[in-house]
Amino acid sequence: MAAYIVKRVLQIVLTLFVFLTIVFFLVNAQPGDISRLYSLDPNLPPETRAQMQELFGVNEPLWKQYLVHLKNTLTGDLGVSFSLYPRTVADVIKERLPRTLVLFLTATVVSFYLGFGLGKIIAWRRGGWVEYTSTLGGVTLYTVFTPWFGLMMIWLFAFKAGWFPIGKFLDPVVWQDAPSDANTVFNLMLATAVVLSLITFCVFLVTSKKRLGMARVLQAGIIAVSVLIVVGVWLSSGVGYLAWDIVKHMVLPIATLTLISFAGTMLLTRNSMLEVIREDYVLAARAKGLPEKAVRDRHVARNALLPVVTSFVFSLAFAIDGGVIIESIFSWPGMGQTLVAATVSEDLPLAVGTFVFVGLFVLLAHLAADILYAYLDPRVRY
């Protein structure tokens, strides 16, 4: 296994180099540069535009820009954003990345948990109304046109019902006299959410291995207490109403992403389990007289996890790009909207830096999926 991992890491390094090269030349293939945004200003003389091109280095030959790009990327310096000058690309990504991670990781984890659970049930109990209803609903959600679905969620729950804000990251009226800025409050929310996630993971890990009789009740109780502690931290810090404002703006995009991702996970789990059910070792487990729940969870569901986990890992990796469509529809200032704005304004360092993050996480996801395969299925050896 160690030799295989080393080999895969070397392949990832080579692939990352090719990816960086392709991204750079593709982004630079679009005509014009950042100075073109100001070319229509009659008060901007040509010499000023030339000075801007020299300042940002876009007047250099393409091969020289490429060498500078490789050098900066390898040293961790992604350059300075043209459109947000003098802010660095790393600073912009540091600000926008947590917003995207919270939004998309929450939706991905929730949809995976719900989708795998329901997919397992409908595959085991075939032919009933639950399977037909769930499959029909899953296919509808999985194939729905995402922009239309997002707009319908806004129209129904924000515009008509008025339960949630229509979009954006926060309400300026609420934050007018706020004692703290949005990034500080959001980082506090992120820190408490990480602690809550770790507690939840540890609780599920311990109770699942010990197979306690009241495991579900214990899990629900500890998670409820943890949530109350998190809410108490927000309230005691004096920014509880600000955190609540951000949470309200997160509900609709998370719900939209969860419904779409949940359907795909449910259908994939169902199809994978239907294939595993026909295996000989499942018949052998039933012949031994094992309970149906044990056969379903320990023999069928465990082996059906392989393609589902692969899809889950890749979903986590692609969450970094922020889902351009979702973030644009809900005006969420994350990585997806940043990528769109950087491309439109021809902010090459910011666009390339965003792509680099996406590519790196996807490559690492491939490595994680290969290692998980060997853990989940003992038959897999390298």
Side-chain angles (χ1 to χ4, degrees):
M1 174 64 79
Y4 173 76
I5 293 178
V6 172
K7 181 180 177 181
R8 290 289 290 122
V9 169
L10 294 177
Q11 292 175 348
I12 286 176
V13 172
L14 177 61
T15 307
L16 182 61
F17 170 76
V18 175
F19 175 77
L20 292 175
T21 303
I22 294 175
V23 166
F24 176 82
F25 285 105
L26 280 179
V27 173
N28 280 272
Q30 61 180 353
D33 54 66
I34 186 67
S35 65
R36 191 181 65 171
L37 294 177
Y38 308 96
S39 61
L40 299 179
D41 186 356
N43 299 320
L44 185 69
E47 55 269 18
T48 303
R49 182 181 178 185
Q51 290 176 357
M52 291 179 58
Q53 291 176 328
E54 183 178 357
L55 173 66
F56 292 124
V58 294
N59 61 338
E60 298 287 349
L62 192 59
W63 65 268
K64 192 171 183 179
Q65 295 183 45
Y66 170 68
L67 294 179
V68 173
H69 159 68
L70 281 183
K71 174 191 170 186
N72 291 342
T73 303
L74 294 176
T75 56
D77 180 12
L78 299 176
V80 177
S81 172
F82 293 166
S83 58
L84 301 174
Y85 183 83
R87 294 186 65 185
T88 62
V89 173
D91 184 44
V92 176
I93 293 177
K94 181 181 177 181
E95 178 188 75
R96 309 287 174 84
L97 183 61
R99 301 173 184 176
T100 292
L101 287 177
V102 169
L103 196 70
F104 284 80
L105 290 184
T106 303
T108 302
V109 172
V110 173
S111 63
F112 174 80
Y113 185 77
L114 295 178
F116 182 74
L118 185 56
K120 186 169 61 173
I121 294 174
I122 64 176
W124 199 252
R125 300 177 180 176
R126 297 193 63 193
W129 65 270
V130 175
E131 183 198 10
Y132 294 132
T133 305
S134 302
T135 304
L136 180 60
V139 172
T140 303
L141 289 172
Y142 187 67
T143 58
V144 73
F145 186 51
T146 303
W148 174 85
F149 187 66
L151 291 174
M152 287 299 101
M153 293 285 286
I154 294 175
W155 177 81
L156 182 60
F157 296 104
F159 183 73
K160 284 293 184 181
W163 294 346
F164 305 104
I166 291 180
K168 297 194 178 295
F169 179 59
L170 48 83
D171 186 351
V173 177
V174 176
W175 290 76
Q176 187 174 4
D177 299 320
S180 184
D181 63 280
N183 288 332
T184 302
V185 175
F186 189 78
N187 289 335
L188 174 63
M189 295 172 59
L190 184 61
T192 52
V194 169
V195 173
L196 177 60
S197 300
L198 292 176
I199 293 175
T200 303
F201 176 76
C202 293
V203 168
F204 272 83
L205 188 65
V206 172
T207 55
S208 298
K209 284 192 173 183
K210 291 185 178 298
R211 296 187 176 88
L212 301 176
M214 299 292 290
R216 297 293 183 185
V217 177
L218 181 63
Q219 292 169 358
I222 295 179
I223 293 173
V225 172
S226 302
V227 171
L228 292 176
I229 293 175
V230 168
V231 174
V233 171
W234 290 358
L235 294 177
S236 62
S237 61
V239 295
Y241 71 101
L242 300 175
W244 177 244
D245 180 61
I246 295 178
V247 170
K248 287 194 299 183
H249 284 79
M250 291 172 56
V251 171
L252 274 184
I254 287 180
T256 303
L257 286 167
T258 300
L259 289 173
I260 296 174
S261 303
F262 151 80
T265 304
M266 180 191 68
L267 294 174
L268 182 60
T269 302
R270 173 185 175 275
N271 294 337
S272 181
M273 284 197 62
L274 291 179
E275 292 181 4
V276 175
I277 285 176
R278 297 192 293 264
E279 297 290 339
D280 294 337
Y281 59 82
V282 176
L283 296 176
R286 281 174 164 168
K288 292 178 181 178
L290 293 178
E292 285 291 298
K293 188 175 183 300
V295 176
R296 184 192 68 186
D297 294 341
R298 299 180 197 173
H299 294 78
V300 180
R302 180 181 175 87
N303 290 284
L305 262 178
L306 294 179
V308 181
V309 167
T310 303
S311 175
F312 173 69
V313 172
F314 290 160
S315 297
L316 293 178
F318 280 108
I320 305 302
D321 69 355
V324 174
I325 296 176
I326 293 295
E327 289 196 355
S328 299
I329 291 174
F330 291 95
S331 301
W332 186 264
M335 293 291 287
Q337 199 175 55
T338 300
L339 177 59
V340 173
T343 305
V344 172
S345 63
E346 300 180 26
D347 188 347
L348 302 184
L350 186 55
V352 172
T354 306
F355 275 122
V356 168
F357 260 84
V358 176
L360 182 61
F361 273 86
V362 170
L363 291 174
L364 292 177
H366 276 275
L367 179 62
D370 290 335
I371 296 175
L372 282 173
Y373 261 43
Y375 173 76
L376 292 173
D377 192 345
R379 296 172 299 176
V380 176
R381 290 292 178 266
Y382 300 99

